[in-house]
């Protein structure tokens, strides 16, 4: 378009929103650009952060406060998912279950803690991730393959169930459990992607309980970025336990191998 | 308990909320009595409106404005379901699809119309009910067994889909259609009860579109009753097309037969 | 900037949002462009609609549905103020007082009516405007200089006061009355500009009653435009009584004289 | 009424909501009992907590978790005011100014901190209270009689102003300052009672900035009590700095003297 970039210059410490919204559709024009009808995702529709160079609209660049640790700058995209999900409804003084403790689930524990969730249940079958969940200060870290999650949650919530379920697994069992343990009138916020249809008992799971289910996509542009920045610069979030290794750029291949190992 | 009834007396023109809430659980104490954990439903847990006499707590009696037509007094329970569902989110200036035009679906059309919905699509396979839907002033009355609902809705909403789906059928096909035609960022409010699990494609149907799903149970006690009264006394709701027959009490058996016939 | 205009072309039937937002400040980046920190208003900061030509960013042009009457196109700016104010909180089934019946106040009556307000009180000292308020279907049209507004409102709202006050006068007496007649827990939405400070009794007027006061500025960009378009194209708004005269462009001077006369 | 008390028995560790709501008015019946039209306040309309015995409806008794420190039990009424005020709108990741650091203002700092406020400005002219505000972990503790509050707040918020003002002073100067430093689109939550009318510049202070003002009365019955309990039992609130002295019941007179001294 020939217009000049003025808000950012070479050498700035920045991160970027990887969803590029069209700016013209109904969603973009009503403050919902994160669900733009014509969105392009850098890394999906164009070369992403593993490429040598990335082309990004000026408006998608987020200048970072120097107070934010450099290593955090590389994880703001998934952290934003967590912030968006946690803050999609009331959370202060609420009981919360995080189903699935991959990186975004783990971040969600930290965020929920920082914004006043009262009791946090972390559900995860992978032992390493359960350990990290403890380091993120979840109150109860449960293994759904062994623990009687439903019983434990009910006992610890006065028989009520949790106010909020943050679904980060995308696995049918985790989703099933989430609907089981949410209290009547609670909310289930869904971020974890599923690969196939999952049967839901609408009457028992949703209607009689009068719950609210939210589909969570990306991060609000740019409300979530402001919230994330505020939480980070005020020192409320300690994300270090999630960052297991720090390698120089040249050891890229080693990093990817380790990543694949852990995932397994 | 021995306390005296003071707010109502013999001969008053009244209706009643048939959910009797415990008043002591978390939901009751936080303004959510309609999803009370210990609710008793008159007509389910005790003799209901077909019995000779009904025992009801004083607080559940709703005194009616004499301006409300007498025949409307007998349908306030389902009308309340409709009012609760329609007003569970933004509706003014919004496009709406009502999936399933039984009495509550038909009432929902009238309520949505009265509170400023812009375009209302009514979906119903029964011909008689489609005729009534027209009389309730739905803009488009569609037969999902014949019409290409998805195509028509997209065309009439600038390719966007509807802002709001009011699910009143409880049938898998209707639910399926509702999720297909709701726009990204829209809401699906579920009232129709389902008899068996329905598979949902969480990623495509909920998460990528960033929609909100609400389970709707009963009527808010007593917010919905105030809203319903206000809409009725201000003359905004014409419900007469839904009332097909008016019979004296002695013809009770005839009424029930007709009801069963229509249903079939 | 050298970029080409593609969404609109010569001859299109359009209106325009006259607030030009910067797109870069916190408010613009969080869906609140209508209160942009660096806003330029066409007609205030640059030549406006009385000039021979007006320069407007492409994104501020609003293409109009041909179904919208041509004369309505010239009043969308104040109509948008009314739509924004009415829809700034719950309105369906609510009692409403409009204090001040200039054009925006009169539009507010029509909008509140269209979106299901139950009882509408219009307060206005000018006789001509009271007549138009009646044509806009206000339920009670009162003259605060003669009528006992407080008494009448209390009587007609079961002693409660109104749920919603839409303040469109900017006059101390109207504002005073608004705070008097709003019910505990109600909202007062302020649009009318005041020229000097007005004393408020915070304890009695705001705190004990637990009310919410909203400052309303402009129109939401572009949520309000979508809502306005939806209400207009669905035929819910009859604004003709507000349009007292229709003159050809050459009689511009006559129109301005008449305008000044009426105002007096 | 002759009904028996069952939910509480002699010896229980309890606190109590001192607003006795009628249960029958519009507000009580729509989840807004804290602004009941017929409220009786124990301590105002009947003997209060300084009397030998107090009569309280069973429903107003709040059983306390043994994990809550005993001395906290005596300050739950003002703590509830703070919780209600802080949680009356969005707060996570938001900048906050608390104007007036009496006990409720100080509690508000702790609560805002616990629920993720990013930067907290405490404004107070009394030196002792400023010291306590520091102990409550306010980020900036300012003396409005000496510090250039407006300048400091603007500098520390990127020129924006604060997202949230919690007005706890009830003094014209504090209120004036609150309106000066709140950002466009922010909220001002008013709890501090004023003794006389305060002039407000509606256009500049409220309308152009598009802010929201909330009158805050009491505590939500009983939402606030649940939230307060959750925050206390999860150990998120350290209120000890506010409790300056602990005296045995027999030294009641000494306590009252000290209270009067401090106040001066």
């Amino acid at each position: 378009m020939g217009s000049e970039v003025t808000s950012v210059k070479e050498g700035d410490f920045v991160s970027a929103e990887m969803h590029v919204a069209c700016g013209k559709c109904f969603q973009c024009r009503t403050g919902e650009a994160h669900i733009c009808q014509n969105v392009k995702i850098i890394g999906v529709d164009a070369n992403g952060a593993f490429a040598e160079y990335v082309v990004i609209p000026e408006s998608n660049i987020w200048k970072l406060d120097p107070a934010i640790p450099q290593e955090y700058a590389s994880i703001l995209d998934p952290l934003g998912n967590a912030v968006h999900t946690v803050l999609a409804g009331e959370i202060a003084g609420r009981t919360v279950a995080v189903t699935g403790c991959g990186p975004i689930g783990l971040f969600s524990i930290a965020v929920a803690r920082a914004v006043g969730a009262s009791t946090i249940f972390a559900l995860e079958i992978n032992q390493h991730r359960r350990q990290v969940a403890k380091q993120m200060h979840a109150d109860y870290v449960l293994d759904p393959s062994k623990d009687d999650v439903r019983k434990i949650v009910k006992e610890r919530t006065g028989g009520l169930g949790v106010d909020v379920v943050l679904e980060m697994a995308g696995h049918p069992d985790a989703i099933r459990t989430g609907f089981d343990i949410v209290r009547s009138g609670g909310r289930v916020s869904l971020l974890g992607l599923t690969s196939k249809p999952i049967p839901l008992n609408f009457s028992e799971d949703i209607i009689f309980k009068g719950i609210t289910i939210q589909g969570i996509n990306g991060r609000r542009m740019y409300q979530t970025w402001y919230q994330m920045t505020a939480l980070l610069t005020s020192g409320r979030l300690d994300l270090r336990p999630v960052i297991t290794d720090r390698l120089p750029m040249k050891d890229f291949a080693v990093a990817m191998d380790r990543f694949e190992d852990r995932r397994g």
Side-chain angles (χ1 to χ4, degrees), chain A residues 166-193:
Chain A
L166 307 176
E167 209 303 293
M168 302 290 175
H171 190 280
D173 293 349
I175 290 174
R176 177 73 269 137
T177 300
F179 282 96
D180 270 359
I181 62 179
V182 70
R183 71 160 168 84
S184 289
R187 75 160 151 127
V188 176
S189 298
L190 301 168
L191 184 83
L193 297 178

Side-chain angles (χ1 to χ4, degrees), chain A residues 31-240:
Chain A
E32 306 271 309
H34 64 296
I35 45 172
C36 166
Q37 294 176 50
N38 311 304
V39 71
K40 300 288 175 201
I41 304 180
I42 297 173
V44 175
D45 300 301
N47 275 343
F50 288 150
E52 194 74 18
Y53 291 99
V54 176
V55 179
I56 278 184
E58 181 180 3
S59 60
N60 279 52
I61 298 292
W62 191 260
K63 288 180 80 169
L64 293 172
D65 191 306
I68 294 177
Q70 208 157 10
E71 61 194 19
Y72 286 10
S74 63
I75 55 172
L76 292 184
D77 184 279
L79 178 61
N81 293 131
V83 169
H84 181 191
T85 312
V86 172
L87 297 184
E90 292 189 16
I91 190 78
R94 303 282 180 171
T95 53
V96 178
V98 177
T99 55
C101 296
I104 302 178
L106 292 167
F107 291 153
S108 297
I109 296 170
V111 174
R113 187 92 296 163
V115 299
S118 59
T119 305
I120 301 176
F121 300 86
L123 280 57
E124 172 59 51
I125 53 170
N126 176 297
Q127 191 192 349
H128 166 69
R129 288 177 166 180
R130 283 204 305 278
Q131 277 175 339
V132 185
K134 272 176 204 157
Q135 293 173 283
M136 302 305 275
H137 303 291
D139 296 289
Y140 300 96
V141 178
L142 307 176
D143 177 355
S145 70
K146 292 182 188 156
D147 297 317
D148 188 341
V149 171
R150 189 190 162 90
K151 185 160 166 279
I152 294 168
V153 167
K154 292 274 170 174
E155 275 174 16
R156 298 292 184 274
T157 56
L160 194 63
V162 291
D163 298 311
V164 179
V165 170
L166 307 176
E167 209 303 293
M168 302 290 175
H171 190 280
D173 293 349
I175 290 174
R176 177 73 269 137
T177 300
F179 282 96
D180 270 359
I181 62 179
V182 70
R183 71 160 168 84
S184 289
R187 75 160 151 127
V188 176
S189 298
L190 301 168
L191 184 83
L193 297 178
T194 57
S195 52
K196 50 184 178 182
I198 296 169
L200 257 191
N201 192 330
F202 279 60
S203 294
E204 298 297 332
D205 289 338
I206 307 175
I207 299 172
F208 290 145
K209 290 172 82 171
I211 66 168
T212 300
I213 304 168
Q214 302 171 309
I216 306 287
N217 191 19
R219 295 145 300 280
R220 295 192 75 87
M221 295 158 69
Y222 285 84
Q223 182 62 61
T224 306
W225 287 87
Y226 284 105
Q227 293 167 322
M228 183 160 52
T229 302
L231 290 169
L232 284 172
T233 54
S234 63
R236 303 275 171 274
L237 294 176
D238 181 1
L239 309 174
R240 284 168 304 177

